[in-house]
Amino acid sequence: MPARVCGSMRTGIAERRAAPVRRPLTARDMRFAVACTVVLTLLAHAYRFLNAGFGLDAMLIAEQVDIETQISLGRFMQPLYWLVRGYITAPPVIGLFATAFLAGAVLIVLALTGIRSRLGIALTCGVLAVNETLCVSYASYLPWVDVYMLSLLLCVLAVFVQTRLRCGFLLSPLLYCVALGLYQSYLQAAAALVMLMLLARALSGERPGALLVEGLGHAGAMLAGLLLYALVYRLAIALYGTSVSTEYNTVAEVGHYTLSAIPGLLKKTYWGPIRYFFAPEDATFFPPALNVLLAVLALGALIGLAHKLPLASKGLIVLILVLLPFGMNFVTFISKGIVHMLMNYAYFFFYVLCILLAERAGETLCVRPAVLRAATPVLLTGVLGVSILTANTLYMKRDLELQSTLSVMTRVLERLEEEEGYVPGETPVVILGYLPASSMAMIRPGFEDISEFQGMRSTYADAYDRSHAWYLQTLLGYRVNLLDWEVCVAYSEDSITQDIPRFPDRDCVQIIDGITFVRL
């Protein structure tokens, strides 16, 4: 065979290896992905689906009492969604809806990133179904987990629609608006997905100029969605007759930036994901060394994949990687620096990036030895294993907290009823303080490691002063004429209550001026 023909054949093979054609996501792939999502979700979260375990904000069992609050927080679509799902926080129902929404989101992520191997699909399902944000959400914020997953689904669907439909740019801002009306932080997941999608296509040899323009189009659609959301939110506030909440973690913080604060906000936003993975300030499920190894492997795969690409493509890839941490966390900038684990779901697209690069490297590069080629899947399997074990430990702690609270509150109510002059359901009651601040609170032996996670420090389910009514009336079904939270806070600072001792002192319940005071 002539050398010129052999050379052309070798060149063709090299080109195919450098820019593999991604086959469409087949029905078989989709069934496998849904099955993996369901199985891994059950391994990690079935305990939470099949037990009460109500605690912290998850003490809000009947959500119809919270409609005005959610609208004032900017989540005006939640009450409409509850009309479909129901207002009662039933763990199996929430688990079913959340898993269905998550499965849909996973399929879109797979379709747009080009991950097609069986192992890659399984790991992608795993890191999106079992991560710290979702585990903490199930443990402490159960009433809203399906809302979060629906917001995620709508955000990634907006990316899919704009990418695959000719007039999708007209529909995507509407999808973003609805998603923001459910919960605002999952817009970051859309940004992360856009960046990974463009990165994957840049590695396949698509023109960098066209990809850059497409990326700007997605950014414009997100901005349009934010503007539409702001307009609809004002209408919702006016129609419902409420006002914008000024509490922590609300849309009231958005806007009116001072020039001096912007550099600090940019730094905090940019370094948030990097600090979380590589130098965490708080407890996380897994050691930072694991993430460092994954990052090194991903970087090595990226260098191997990109070294033969044109300079412009390399430049676009570098730009995407530089912007990725900000894209994963830009809601922190919008909200003027508010950081909460519920806002961090987009961080875990870092693992999707590792899967994407490992799969591409395995297809296009002669990676030897086999141990090196399998390193990323092995490390990610370890991440999933630790996350599944930790998730079940979180849910077990919540279960124990609920039992402990029943024991303590039964004794408190007994003392309340023994107080002379107290009439159940009629005598006004003011509860001062809350159980985690009582002399009986402690760190459970054996659960010290998870006590540092978001909302997991408390010994008791009735974890703060606003949850007393939820626990006594909704969960216990106890008739008590509990005064409003604001009144209780005012009395806690009043001189007439300062001498009331804390539970379990025998005098922790006292009637003063016709009001029964209980100091926890």
Side-chain angles (χ1 to χ4, degrees), residues 79 86 189 250 277 285 299 520:
T250 70
F277 282 113
F285 281 15
L299 182 60
L520 298 181

Side-chain angles (χ1 to χ4, degrees), residues 104-115 124 128 156 193 349 352:
V106 167
L107 293 177
I108 293 173
V109 171
L110 293 171
L112 295 182
T113 58
I115 296 172
T124 302
L128 294 179
V156 299
L193 176 58
F349 278 77
V352 180

